[in-house]
């Protein structure tokens, strides 16, 4: 049908009715040609790609025609089991074939396939018979078969066995059974309606459970393959018992010697009767028979185990011997008898008795040795050596026994007691007689040791170190101190207090008297106090109280609560009263150094410097950690003569704090020119001009008065005093040659510079001025000498700054 519709579809596409008729006829021919069938056979378990047939040879076509006509093989079912090689025309198996898996319930196994050709379309049917090989052994459903057979079973009885299964078919299937050699059973074989073979056991010899409880037989199933395969199973025969034996005692008479003080439930003897039967037939029960009533009261017999135990109090003076008869009966009613004779022995059957007369339940730990703790007596109802007693204390304890009179003993202490080492004693006193079999009794006395305040408190540390961050809140808990006392009760109750020291202020810390918590009373300032120590006393509640002391050290941690303070330049100085920088200064020239301090400590006091604002941003730089202001490049002519720098000083606290310093810098060609230029460039008028004038007049008056006083003092005082005064207020000669002190070489000249726009004038040591002339050109009259002549002079100038 599929081919028909495909051919018709081709005809419709051609649009020719005649062509449709031709295609229909061709389809009928193809269908008729598909009636021939190719038949082949293949043994199972062949390897992958095993040869099945040469399709090209069988069909009489060349391999090239197979490829040209696009021949292909299709197996019936979902799984494709065969592969056709178009180049060779060989049909092969794609996988190894297992007949038992493909056709599990069929005697024959045939696989169908179809071969399709195109141009023209052709269909050829084929089938492959999978031949069985002997690849499966007979298998029993269970590895072990259990048969329960009574020992009284008659001879010739038959017992069917489970049959084995073999997946192979025909001669490769199950063919025979065999049984291992044994003396009781033979094997009978049979064939069922479907042809399946089965086996039965036949009893040939009488079974005896007492002789052999079970038999193990080996059953073997064999198939007809070549070589044959086989499978085995164990056949376990369990022989069931029959009551054909009576119980038998090991002895006819059991003789026992028993002490008169034997306690109840003590074992006297165990009688045992054996019955070789099994189950209820072999289960024996025991009972007294022909036994006196008194013996039945003194002894009891366990009916299941045959154990005879003492049930009453034996007395040698009452009866020296007891005779009992025991009957053993099995589950089938068969029975046997034996005798039990008990001889009672006279022994030391009374143990010493301890009676307490007085007892002190608690004694203080400071009780002296030889303190009486208890008084007791020992009595033994026996006589002679059996009534003589001795007493002792078990273990190594600080107590001893002292005999007094009439078998009375005193329990005394023999060492110093310490409650902290051991708070209670369980004293066991053992009393023993002198009989042949020595009997003893024990009495336990419990003594408690009461506490005495003999241990002072002990701190867990000698020095407690606690820390608190400054600016803390009042009554802040910073930790606790802890002391323990080995005593008990109120003697171990510890109170804490600070030790007051005379002549010292009350500390800023307090201690909770009950739990030892430490509190800071008020906010602390790290800049005022960085650490302090106080003594803490721990006192117990004993009488008299004992105490101990420890040192409490409180360390104040710094907090970044102080901003940097600029020392140089002074914050109140005018920016114009700054530094002078020659125009010949090169890069790296030291202009000034900003000096700042921070009252904090640690990281909070680490300062860094940076240039926050400058007239010429690229002209100067500031050392990050040194604060040195240096030229970043050489001074140029185009740079403004007056420069103003704002240096930011910042610490490393969290959050950081900062301060600023303002530097005024004048770029000069020479110091005289600098004085003139600064004076000329001073502002014509300032808002506080009158105030500055008043301050200058006042300062001039004070300076004149001071100078007059100094001159008078120089005249009056000695030469040494004049030198000291001269060091305080130095006078500067114009040249070193005019100095009488002789402390400077003649080649040095002091240059005095006055900063314009300031209230006071500063005398500043700048650098030595070396006379320097251009090569071959002496200086003309009225010309000022240059301050810089060579690199050496410049370097000396930098060192001077």
């Amino acid at each position: 049908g599929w081919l028909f519709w495909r051919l018709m579809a081709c005809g419709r596409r051609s649009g020719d009715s005649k062509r449709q008729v031709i295609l229909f006829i061709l389809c009928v021919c193809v269908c008729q040609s598909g009636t021939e069938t190719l038949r082949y056979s293949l043994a199972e378990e062949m390897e992958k790609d095993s040869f099945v047939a040469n399709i090209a040879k069988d069909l009489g076509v060349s391999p090239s025609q197979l490829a040209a006509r696009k021949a292909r093989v299709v197996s019936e079912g979902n799984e494709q089991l065969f592969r056709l090689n178009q180049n060779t025309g060989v049909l092969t198996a794609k996988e190894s074939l297992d007949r038992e898996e493909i056709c599990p319930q069929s005697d024959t196994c045939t696989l169908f396939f179809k071969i399709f050709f195109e141009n023209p379309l052709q269909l050829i049917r084929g089938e492959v018979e999978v031949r069985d090989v002997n690849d499966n052994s007979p298998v029993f459903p269970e590895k072990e078969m259990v048969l329960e057979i009574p020992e009284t079973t008659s001879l010739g009885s038959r017992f069917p066995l489970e049959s084995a299964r073999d997946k192979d078919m025909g001669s490769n299937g199950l063919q025979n059974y065999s049984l291992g050699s044994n003396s009781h059973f033979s094997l009978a074989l049979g064939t069922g309606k479907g042809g399946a073979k089965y086996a039965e056991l036949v009893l040939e010899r009488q079974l005896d459970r007492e002789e052999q409880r079970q038999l193990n037989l080996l059953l073997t199933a064999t198939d007809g393959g070549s070589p044959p395969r086989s499978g085995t199973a164990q056949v376990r025969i369990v022989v069931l018992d029959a009551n054909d034996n009576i119980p038998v005692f090991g002895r006819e008479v059991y003789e026992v010697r028993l002490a008169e003080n034997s306690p109840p439930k003590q074992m006297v003897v165990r009688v045992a009767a054996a019955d070789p039967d099994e189950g209820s037939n072999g289960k024996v029960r025991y009972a007294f028979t022909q036994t006196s009533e008194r013996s039945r009261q003194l002894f009891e017999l366990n009916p299941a185990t045959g154990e005879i135990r003492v049930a009453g109090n034996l007395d040698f003076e009452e009866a020296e011997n007891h005779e009992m008869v025991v009957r053993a009966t099995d589950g089938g009613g068969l029975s046997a008898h034996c005798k039990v004779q008990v001889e009672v022995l006279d022994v030391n059957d009374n143990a010493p008795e301890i009676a307490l007369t007085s007892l002190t339940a608690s004694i203080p730990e400071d009780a002296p040795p030889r303190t009486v703790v208890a008084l007791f007596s020992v009595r033994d109802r026996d006589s002679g050596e059996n009534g003589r007693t001795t007493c002792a204390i078990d273990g190594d304890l600080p107590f001893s026994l002292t005999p007094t009179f009439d078998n009375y003993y005193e329990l005394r202490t023999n060492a110093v007691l310490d409650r902290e080492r051991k708070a209670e004693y369980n004293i066991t006193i053992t009393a023993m007689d002198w009989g042949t079999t020595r009997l003893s009794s024990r009495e336990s006395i419990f003594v408690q040791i009461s506490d005495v305040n003999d241990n002072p408190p002990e701190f867990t540390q000698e020095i407690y170190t606690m820390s608190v961050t400054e600016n803390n809140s009042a009554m802040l808990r910073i930790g606790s101190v802890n002391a323990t006392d080995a005593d008990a009760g109120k003697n171990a109750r510890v109170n804490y207090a600070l030790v007051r020291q005379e002549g010292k202020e009350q500390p800023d810390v307090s201690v909770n008297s009950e739990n030892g918590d430490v509190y800071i009373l008020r906010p602390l300032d790290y800049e005022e106090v960085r650490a302090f120590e106080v003594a803490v006393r721990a006192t117990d509640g004993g009488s008299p109280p004992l105490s101990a002391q420890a040192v409490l050290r409180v360390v104040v941690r710094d907090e970044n609560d102080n901003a940097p303070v600029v020392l140089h330049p002074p914050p109140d100085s005018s920016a114009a009263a700054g530094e002078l920088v020659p125009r010949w200064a090169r890069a790296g020239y030291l202009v000034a150094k900003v000096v700042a301090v921070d009252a904090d400590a640690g990281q909070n006091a680490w300062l860094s410097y940076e240039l926050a604002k400058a007239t010429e941003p690229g002209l100067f730089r500031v050392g990050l950690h040194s604060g040195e202001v240096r030229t970043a490049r050489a001074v140029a002519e185009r740079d403004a003569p007056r420069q103003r720098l704002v240096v930011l000083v910042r610490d490393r606290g969290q959050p950081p704090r900062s301060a600023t310093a303002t530097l005024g810098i004048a770029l000069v060609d020479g110091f005289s020119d600098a004085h003139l230029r600064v004076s000329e460039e001073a502002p014509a008028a300032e808002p506080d001009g009158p105030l500055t004038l008043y301050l200058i007049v006042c300062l001039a008056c004070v300076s004149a008065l001071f100078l007059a006083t100094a001159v008078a003092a120089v005249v009056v005082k000695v030469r040494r005093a004049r030198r000291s005064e001269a060091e305080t207020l130095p006078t500067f000669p114009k040249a070193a040659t005019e100095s009488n002190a002789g402390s400077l070489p003649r080649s040095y000249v002091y240059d005095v510079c006055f900063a314009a726009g300031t209230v006071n004038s500063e005398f500043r040591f700048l650098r030595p001025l070396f006379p320097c002339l251009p090569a071959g050109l002496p200086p003309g009259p009225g010309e000022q000498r240059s301050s810089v002549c060579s690199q050496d002079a410049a370097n000396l100038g930098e060192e001077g700054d």
Side-chain angles (χ1 to χ4, degrees):
W2 174 80
L3 294 175
F4 173 76
W5 289 111
R6 184 172 179 182
L7 292 172
M8 294 302 294
C10 294
R12 284 194 299 268
R13 284 196 300 267
S14 66
D16 191 350
S17 59
K18 291 182 179 181
R19 187 169 297 178
Q20 292 182 8
V21 175
I22 296 174
L23 291 175
F24 177 76
I25 297 172
L26 179 61
C27 179
V28 173
C29 295
V30 170
C31 293
Q32 291 179 354
S33 64
T35 57
E36 62 175 299
T37 301
L38 301 176
R39 290 181 174 83
Y40 304 101
S41 65
L42 178 68
E44 66 170 331
E45 302 295 342
M46 295 294 288
E47 295 181 355
K48 179 181 177 181
D49 295 330
S50 297
F51 177 82
V52 177
N54 191 328
I55 298 297
K57 181 179 179 181
D58 295 341
L59 294 179
V61 296
S62 62
S64 60
Q65 289 180 343
L66 293 178
R69 297 182 62 183
K70 299 181 180 179
R72 63 182 182 277
V73 63
V74 178
S75 301
E76 291 187 357
N78 297 328
E79 186 176 2
Q80 299 299 319
L81 302 177
F82 302 101
R83 179 186 296 113
L84 177 62
N85 190 329
Q86 294 180 353
N87 297 324
T88 62
V90 175
L91 181 66
T92 58
K94 294 181 65 175
E95 301 291 342
S96 177
L97 302 179
D98 186 357
R99 193 200 67 82
E100 289 75 24
E101 181 180 351
I102 299 173
C103 308
Q105 303 296 333
S106 178
D107 293 341
T108 61
C109 185
T110 303
L111 303 178
F112 299 94
F113 64 90
K114 297 179 180 64
I115 300 176
F116 290 94
F117 292 90
E118 295 182 5
N119 301 321
L121 183 64
Q122 185 178 3
L123 173 64
I124 299 177
R125 298 179 182 275
E127 59 184 43
V128 176
E129 180 185 358
V130 181
R131 300 191 305 274
D132 183 42
V133 297
N134 191 25
D135 58 343
N136 292 281
S137 300
V139 177
F140 286 94
E142 295 180 357
K143 289 296 183 181
E144 183 182 43
M145 291 178 277
V146 180
L147 299 179
E148 295 182 350
I149 303 176
E151 63 178 331
T152 57
T153 301
S154 60
L155 299 178
S157 299
R158 290 174 175 261
F159 305 94
L161 300 175
E162 290 285 343
S163 298
R165 302 288 185 269
D166 194 329
K167 293 182 180 181
D168 295 326
M169 303 302 294
S171 61
N172 293 329
L174 179 64
Q175 299 295 326
N176 191 24
Y177 290 96
S178 61
L179 186 66
S181 61
N182 67 95
S183 60
H184 290 82
F185 292 93
S186 63
L187 189 66
L189 301 180
T191 303
K193 293 182 179 180
K197 293 180 173 57
Y198 61 89
E200 293 179 340
L201 286 179
V202 181
L203 181 62
E204 302 289 347
R205 179 186 171 190
Q206 191 66 45
L207 299 174
D208 187 357
R209 193 203 63 81
E210 289 72 30
E211 178 184 345
Q212 193 171 2
R213 291 176 176 269
Q214 67 179 18
L215 291 83
N216 291 314
L217 308 177
L218 181 64
L219 179 64
T220 303
T222 309
D223 62 18
S226 180
R229 290 176 174 265
S230 62
T232 60
Q234 289 286 338
V235 180
R236 183 160 58 92
I237 309 298
V238 178
V239 183
L240 301 180
D241 183 49
N243 190 25
D244 55 350
N245 294 279
I246 64 172
V248 177
F249 280 100
R251 287 183 291 177
E252 292 185 0
V253 178
Y254 292 85
E255 295 180 352
V256 182
R257 304 181 69 186
L258 192 64
E260 63 172 332
N261 62 345
S262 298
K265 302 297 180 182
Q266 177 177 332
M267 172 77 77
V268 178
V269 69
R270 183 180 185 273
V271 297
D275 191 324
D277 293 328
E278 191 178 42
S280 61
N281 296 328
K283 187 176 182 180
V284 180
R285 296 187 66 81
Y286 304 90
F288 284 132
T289 182
Q290 301 177 9
T291 304
S292 66
E293 186 65 25
R294 181 56 180 164
S295 296
R296 292 174 184 266
Q297 294 176 353
L298 294 176
F299 301 95
E300 62 180 6
L301 174 63
N302 189 315
T305 62
E307 293 179 351
I308 299 176
R309 296 180 178 271
V310 177
N313 295 323
L314 300 177
D315 191 354
F316 174 81
E317 289 73 22
E318 179 183 348
E320 297 183 8
N321 296 284
H322 296 275
E323 183 174 310
M324 297 163 283
V325 178
V326 178
R327 180 178 61 204
T329 306
D330 64 14
L334 302 180
S335 63
H337 299 80
C338 73
K339 290 184 180 181
V340 179
Q341 295 178 353
V342 178
E343 180 184 357
V344 181
L345 302 178
D346 185 20
V347 295
N348 179 25
D349 56 348
N350 292 289
E353 298 176 356
I354 301 175
L356 282 174
T357 303
S358 65
L359 173 65
T360 303
S362 177
I363 57 175
E365 61 177 325
D366 60 349
R370 307 292 301 169
T371 300
V372 177
V373 178
L375 178 66
F376 63 93
S377 63
V378 178
R379 183 173 69 94
D380 194 321
R381 289 181 295 176
D382 295 325
S383 59
E385 289 295 320
N386 293 334
R388 180 185 171 188
T389 60
T390 181
C391 291
I393 296 176
D394 295 349
D396 185 13
L397 300 177
F399 298 91
S400 62
L401 295 177
T402 303
T404 56
F405 57 90
D406 270 348
N407 294 329
Y408 274 87
Y409 294 86
E410 288 180 341
L411 177 64
R412 296 173 178 265
T413 62
N414 63 357
V416 176
L417 304 178
D418 187 358
R419 189 204 66 83
E420 287 70 39
R421 293 180 57 189
K422 193 166 185 179
E424 57 189 20
Y425 291 91
N426 191 2
I427 306 170
T428 301
I429 300 174
T430 302
M432 182 175 295
D433 62 21
W434 288 81
T436 304
T437 303
R438 304 187 69 175
L439 301 179
S440 63
S441 60
R442 293 186 175 186
E443 183 71 23
S444 294
I445 299 176
F446 186 76
V447 177
Q448 281 190 330
I449 310 301
S450 59
D451 185 49
V452 175
N453 190 28
D454 57 348
N455 291 281
E458 292 184 4
F459 280 97
T460 56
Q461 300 175 220
E462 295 183 359
I463 299 176
Y464 291 86
T465 302
M466 302 179 187
S467 61
V468 60
T469 304
E470 64 174 329
N471 304 319
N472 57 283
S473 59
M475 294 305 294
L476 175 66
R477 181 184 179 278
I478 61 172
S480 63
V481 296
N482 184 32
T484 57
D485 196 311
D487 294 323
K490 67 176 184 179
N491 295 331
R493 190 179 300 115
V494 178
N495 290 325
Y496 304 91
L498 295 178
V499 179
R500 304 296 181 182
Q501 298 181 358
E502 297 181 1
K504 291 188 177 181
E505 297 181 357
Q506 183 176 357
D508 296 327
V509 67
S510 67
V511 179
N512 189 301
S513 61
E514 295 182 357
N515 55 28
D517 287 347
V518 179
Y519 295 88
I520 298 297
L521 299 178
R522 65 177 182 84
L524 301 179
D525 189 357
Y526 175 83
E527 287 70 36
E528 293 182 3
V529 56
R530 299 193 175 187
F532 61 89
E533 294 181 354
V534 294
V536 180
R537 177 184 293 117
T539 307
D540 62 22
S543 180
L546 302 178
S547 62
Q549 290 189 10
V551 176
L552 172 61
R553 177 178 175 81
V554 179
V555 178
V556 182
R557 293 195 301 266
D558 183 43
E559 188 177 54
N560 192 25
D561 57 345
N562 292 280
V565 177
V566 178
L567 301 180
H568 180 79
D572 55 351
S573 65
S574 173
E579 309 295 331
L580 300 180
V581 177
R583 286 194 175 272
W584 47 260
R586 297 182 179 180
Y589 179 83
L590 178 63
V591 177
K593 183 173 182 179
V594 178
V595 180
V597 295
D598 196 314
D600 295 320
Q603 186 173 345
N604 297 329
W606 295 354
L607 301 181
S608 61
Y609 303 83
E610 60 182 274
L611 190 60
K613 186 177 180 182
T615 304
E616 293 288 344
L619 182 57
F620 299 97
R621 59 180 173 85
V622 179
L624 179 62
H625 300 293
S626 63
E628 293 179 347
V629 180
R630 294 179 180 269
T631 56
R633 58 176 175 81
V635 179
E637 292 294 336
R638 68 177 181 275
D639 295 329
R642 297 185 62 186
Q643 301 285 333
R644 184 174 181 272
L645 304 182
V646 177
V647 180
L648 178 66
V649 184
R650 179 185 290 113
D651 60 25
R652 295 189 181 180
Q654 292 296 330
R657 295 177 176 269
S658 61
T660 58
T662 303
L663 289 175
I665 300 175
L667 304 180
V668 298
D669 294 325
F671 295 111
S672 298
D673 293 344
H675 171 67
L676 294 176
R677 290 182 182 179
V678 172
S679 300
E680 293 173 356
E681 295 177 2
E686 292 184 0
D688 55 351
L691 179 60
T692 303
L693 180 61
Y694 298 152
L695 292 176
I696 293 174
V697 172
C698 294
L699 183 60
C701 295
V702 173
S703 299
L705 181 59
F706 177 74
L707 291 174
T709 305
V711 171
V714 169
V715 174
V716 175
K717 291 184 179 180
V718 294
R719 181 181 181 83
R720 188 174 183 179
R722 288 201 308 271
R723 288 181 179 178
S724 176
E725 189 66 28
E727 292 177 0
T728 304
L729 295 173
T731 58
F732 302 99
K734 292 182 179 180
T737 54
E738 299 177 8
S739 174
N740 296 324
S743 60
L744 294 174
R746 295 182 179 272
S747 60
Y748 279 78
V749 177
Y750 289 101
D751 188 9
V752 181
C753 180
F754 299 91
T758 58
V759 177
N760 59 339
S761 298
E762 296 179 355
F763 293 98
R764 303 182 60 197
F765 295 95
L766 294 178
R767 58 185 64 85
L769 298 180
F770 296 92
C772 181
L773 298 174
L777 295 176
E783 292 184 357
Q784 185 180 1
R785 294 179 180 176
S786 174
S787 300
V788 179
C789 300
S790 64
Q791 183 62 36
D792 294 338
N795 293 337
L796 289 175
E798 293 180 8
E799 294 175 0
D801 287 343

